Amino acid sequence: MRIRIVDAFTDRPFAGNPAGVLLLDAFPDDDRLQRVALEVNHSETAFAHRLPAGGEADWALRWFTPATEVAMCGHATLATAHVLHTTGAHEGPVRFATRSGVLVATPREDGSFTLDFPTAPLTPVEAPPGIAAALGAEPCTVLDTGPNIGDLLVEVADEETVRGLSPDLGALAPHSERGIIATARAEDPARGYDYVSRCFFPNVGIDEDPVTGSAHTALAPFWSERLGRPDLVGLQASSRSGRVRTELRGGRTLLSGHAVTVIDGELLA
C-alpha cells in the first residue's frame, strides 16, 4: 500500500492536522484498517477507493482514529482530496461516499480546497454537572452538536481562557459521545480570525485534535449567528495550530483550507 502523511488546514509543513491517506483498490477487512490507523497513530487515517463511473460519488472514503472508525472527518477528507489532485488520480470536484452521505471537495484557484459538509444541528443544553471542573473553565453556553459529530460545544469567557485550557480528559469523557469543542470570540479580529477553538476527544483516542474540520460545522453556525456574517475564519489554537475558512449555507457548511504532503512512502506489512 502507498501511504502518505498530509498536513491539512495549513499551507506549510509541520503545522495543521496530519492525516494518513491510503488510496486502495478496495477496502480490506475492518480489523486491517484499524491496525493501519493505529500504526499511523495520527488523529485520523483516511482510506479511499475509486467507485464505478456514473454513480452519485467518485470515491468511497472511510476514516479511522487509532481507536475507532468515525462518521465524519474534515481534515482527512481535505488531505485525501489533496492527494487525489496532486497525484493526478482525480481532476476537478471529487464526490466522496461516506457514512455521512456524499461529501464534495472542490479545488480552488489558490491551491486550497473547499469541503461541502452538512451543518451540525445545535441544541442548547444545561451544562452537565462537573464539566467546569473537568474542562478547567466555567461554561458560558453549552450546545449539543447532533449525531454526526457527537460533541458538546462549550463557549467560555474569552480567547485567553481557550488557549490556557488543560482539561482532565478522563473526567471529560462521560459528558459526550466524542468529546468537547471549547470556543470563544477572537480577542482581536485584526489578526485574521473571528473565533478560536480547541478540541478534546478522549472517547476516540485523541487527547487534543490539532485542527478539526468536522467541529467547524458546529462552530460556523454558532459564530455566524453571533457575529451576523456567513463567512468567517476560525483559528484552532492547538500547539500545531491551523485556520479554517467557514461559509454557512443553511443546511450545509463550506470548509476551506490548504494541505501539504510531508511523507510519501510504502506500507510493507
Side-chain angles (χ1 to χ4, degrees), residues 123-129 131 141-143 152:
T123 305
V125 296
E126 294 292 329
I131 195 170
T141 308
V142 181
L143 302 102
L152 285 183

Side-chain angles (χ1 to χ4, degrees), residues 187-200:
E187 179 181 341
D188 180 8
R191 295 174 180 168
Y193 55 91
D194 301 289
Y195 58 90
V196 296
S197 65
R198 289 175 66 192
C199 294
F200 307 99

Side-chain angles (χ1 to χ4, degrees), residues 7-169:
D7 291 342
F9 291 115
T10 182
D11 58 2
R12 56 190 175 89
F14 314 123
N17 200 352
V21 178
L22 293 94
L23 305 182
L24 310 171
D25 295 327
F27 291 135
D29 63 79
D30 289 2
D31 181 67
R32 169 72 169 165
L33 297 176
Q34 188 63 72
R35 286 176 180 272
V36 172
L38 178 59
E39 186 73 13
V40 172
N41 203 33
H42 287 315
S43 57
E44 247 86 25
T45 297
F47 302 90
H49 71 76
R50 193 186 302 273
L51 294 172
E56 66 173 2
D58 307 301
W59 290 76
L61 178 62
R62 297 173 71 180
W63 313 280
F64 285 76
T65 77
T68 189
E69 185 173 10
V70 296
M72 180 186 292
C73 179
H75 86 278
T77 303
L78 173 57
T80 305
H82 169 79
V83 168
L84 289 175
H85 282 79
T86 55
T87 62
H90 191 92
E91 296 182 357
V94 53
R95 302 168 298 166
F96 293 110
T98 78
R99 289 174 58 179
S100 295
V102 176
L103 306 177
V104 181
T106 302
R108 299 162 61 101
E109 290 185 0
D110 65 356
S112 67
F113 289 84
T114 294
L115 311 179
D116 184 339
F117 273 40
T119 301
L122 300 181
T123 305
V125 296
E126 294 292 329
I131 195 170
L135 185 60
E138 194 67 36
C140 302
T141 308
V142 181
L143 302 102
D144 182 88
T145 61
N148 279 345
I149 300 179
D151 297 329
L152 285 183
L153 176 63
V154 179
E155 181 192 11
V156 297
D158 51 33
E159 179 175 336
E160 182 180 2
T161 300
V162 172
R163 290 181 179 275
L165 291 174
S166 183
D168 180 338
L169 296 169

Side-chain angles (χ1 to χ4, degrees), residues 6 29 48 63 91 112 145 150 160 177 185 190 209 218 233 246 253 262:
V6 177
D29 63 79
W63 313 280
E91 296 182 357
S112 67
T145 61
E160 182 180 2
E177 181 181 348
R185 188 189 301 248
D209 198 34
V233 176
T246 61
T253 296
V262 293

